[in-house]
Amino acid sequence: MQVHVVKSKIHRVKVTGADLNYIGSITIDEDLMDAANIIQGEKVQIVNNNNGERLETYAIPGPRGSGEITLNGAAARKVAKGDVLILITYAMMDIEEAKKFKPALVFPNEADNTLT
């Protein structure tokens, strides 16, 4: 049997931008992606603490050290600049592996989304 488990989580980052005219995705500071073990193109669940929205899209890297968290395309309608988000990725694995697995949990600086 396989189960879905949390692979990584970036907890409480602020939206820095929303670009409705972009093709789609979420742009995430590449330092945050590395810390959370998120790869380019990976499916990301987005939970908006401000309005309760939950959506899925895919990750694209933003400039390192920028703290960028930009929702692109239709997802831009689900956030406002300054909203606080939780970003989550999941993995499928055998149940015994899942019992031992430790997800990457990242708690950025809430002022600027950086790892400092």
Side-chain angles (χ1 to χ4, degrees):
M1 176 186 332
Q2 292 208 317
V3 294
H4 281 119
V5 298
V6 173
K7 178 182 136 297
S8 53
K9 178 169 115 171
I10 301 174
H11 191 74
R12 296 188 60 85
V13 288
K14 287 184 184 172
V15 174
T16 60
D19 185 355
L20 183 60
N21 295 314
Y22 193 84
I23 295 170
S25 67
I26 181 170
T27 304
I28 304 169
D29 177 328
E30 196 165 4
D31 287 342
L32 293 174
M33 288 178 63
D34 288 349
N37 197 24
I38 297 173
I39 62 168
Q40 183 172 342
E42 185 170 358
K43 183 169 142 179
V44 178
Q45 181 182 40
I46 300 161
V47 180
N48 188 327
N49 284 1
N50 290 77
N51 63 20
E53 290 283 353
R54 297 173 82 93
L55 61 113
E56 294 177 339
T57 189
Y58 60 93
I60 61 172
R64 288 187 180 279
S66 67
E68 182 176 358
I69 301 291
T70 300
L71 277 290
N72 303 304
R77 294 196 182 274
K78 303 290 187 177
V79 300
K81 187 174 179 180
D83 281 359
V84 175
L85 308 179
I86 299 171
L87 310 179
I88 309 164
T89 65
Y90 299 90
M92 285 191 66
M93 56 188 72
D94 293 327
I95 197 159
E96 291 306 315
E97 180 184 8
K99 289 178 183 179
K100 299 173 193 164
F101 181 76
K102 302 290 184 225
L105 305 176
V106 179
F107 299 89
N109 179 325
E110 289 190 38
D112 62 7
N113 294 339
T114 63
L115 295 172
T116 58

